[in-house]
Amino acid sequence: MAATAAFSTPSTFKLSSPTQSPSSSSLLPVFSSLKLACSTSNTQISPFKPLKLNRNARFVSAATPSAASAASSSTTTFHGLCYVVGDNIDTDQIIPAEYLTLVPSKPDEYEKLGSYALIGLPSSYETRFVEPGETKTKYSIVIGGDNFGCGSSREHAPVALGASGVKAVVAESYARIFFRNSVATGEIYPLESEGRLCEECKTGDVVTIELGEGDSKLINHTSGKEYKLKPIGDAGPVIEAGGIFAYARKTGMIPSRDA
């Protein structure tokens, strides 16, 4: 939780609503405050560790490995089945408090955390997100409504979704702390739709997300419809790098682990 505290200031995101997601430009103070915190004399880097250290490369980019430096101008694509939820999906529904004793930095516990993702959904959701006895979900994309990720500030929420195999969440809006935790941990892409996709898509639909430098869209192959997504902005490179600390090391804001 130290990572969150390092850049959780009341003025970081100037939002008129607690459910409004931070804009891409509002992430810049996050990077600046992180650099300042890590450059202060006698400050040790070791206490500032991201919650999860077992991130695997799960994102498919159109760019070749040799073109990684040009990733910002490439198209990132996710494809798979979607799982649809409604409004106000809170962190207790994403990962109940009883599972917060699991330590994501331990590979076996990280895997267990993923097996409990969205286990707190009410019984009205007849389709299980993760089947009993499994550790991974077959739904790589979650589509939600308004105020996704509301509730507590637990970083375990996006980590659990990432551990289960989710690549991206597409919601009408986010609780800002969930959005920020998603970026900070580098687990999932928290994407915003321009309409209520939770009413346009159904669980089990085959969808593709294309994230471009300009236009981004979600294609529902089952219905044959396309939907425009809001740009991910400055958060994209941070998530692609593996989270806020991996991005800071990559860009030279803080020393690398090998230094």
Side-chain angles (χ1 to χ4, degrees), residues 110-149:
Y110 176 77
E111 193 173 65
K112 287 181 181 178
L113 194 62
S115 71
Y116 297 125
L118 290 176
I119 200 172
L121 289 174
S123 58
S124 56
Y125 290 88
E126 297 180 358
T127 302
R128 287 284 298 267
F129 182 66
V130 181
E131 292 295 331
E134 299 293 329
T135 58
K136 299 293 183 181
T137 182
K138 62 181 180 180
Y139 305 102
S140 57
I141 296 167
V142 173
I143 296 177
D146 182 53
N147 200 24
F148 188 93

Side-chain angles (χ1 to χ4, degrees), residues 8-239:
S8 293
T9 60
S11 60
T12 299
F13 302 123
K14 297 180 180 179
L15 304 175
S16 58
S17 167
T19 64
Q20 181 181 356
S21 303
S23 64
S24 60
S25 61
S26 68
L27 289 170
L28 295 178
V30 174
F31 306 147
S32 298
S33 61
L34 176 64
K35 184 176 182 180
L36 178 61
C38 294
S39 60
T40 304
S41 63
N42 298 324
T43 298
Q44 298 297 319
I45 295 175
S46 56
F48 296 95
K49 295 181 180 179
L51 181 61
K52 170 264 182 184
L53 302 174
N54 191 42
R55 182 179 186 269
N56 295 319
R58 296 177 285 104
F59 305 120
V60 181
S61 174
T64 62
S66 61
S69 60
S72 60
S73 62
S74 67
T75 299
T76 301
T77 302
F78 310 126
H79 179 82
L81 301 178
C82 71
Y83 189 89
V84 182
V85 295
D87 297 329
N88 302 312
I89 299 299
D90 62 41
T91 50
D92 278 322
Q93 293 173 320
I94 298 172
I95 185 68
E98 63 190 281
Y99 303 114
L100 300 186
T101 56
L102 294 171
V103 181
S105 59
K106 298 179 180 180
D108 58 333
E109 296 191 20
Y110 176 77
E111 193 173 65
K112 287 181 181 178
L113 194 62
S115 71
Y116 297 125
L118 290 176
I119 200 172
L121 289 174
S123 58
S124 56
Y125 290 88
E126 297 180 358
T127 302
R128 287 284 298 267
F129 182 66
V130 181
E131 292 295 331
E134 299 293 329
T135 58
K136 299 293 183 181
T137 182
K138 62 181 180 180
Y139 305 102
S140 57
I141 296 167
V142 173
I143 296 177
D146 182 53
N147 200 24
F148 188 93
C150 58
S152 75
S153 62
R154 66 192 65 165
E155 291 179 343
H156 285 71
V159 172
L161 290 174
S164 73
V166 172
K167 300 174 183 176
V169 175
V170 179
E172 188 177 1
S173 68
Y174 293 89
R176 56 185 177 181
I177 190 64
F178 178 89
F179 185 99
R180 186 163 56 187
N181 284 341
S182 298
V183 176
T185 59
E187 285 286 344
I188 57 174
Y189 279 77
L191 306 172
E192 287 186 281
S193 60
E194 295 198 343
R196 287 186 62 78
L197 267 61
C198 62
E199 296 179 355
E200 295 283 334
C201 302
K202 297 179 180 179
T203 294
D205 285 356
V206 179
V207 301
T208 296
I209 294 174
E210 294 181 358
L211 299 181
E213 187 176 0
D215 296 333
S216 297
K217 60 184 177 181
L218 181 146
I219 305 167
N220 188 323
H221 300 284
T222 302
S223 66
K225 296 182 179 181
E226 294 187 7
Y227 306 92
K228 188 176 181 180
L229 302 177
K230 296 179 182 179
I232 189 66
D234 293 337
V238 180
I239 300 168

Side-chain angles (χ1 to χ4, degrees), residues 241-258:
I244 188 71
F245 287 95
Y247 178 80
R249 293 186 182 96
K250 179 180 178 180
T251 56
M253 294 172 64
I254 60 177
S256 66
R257 293 183 183 277
D258 299 330

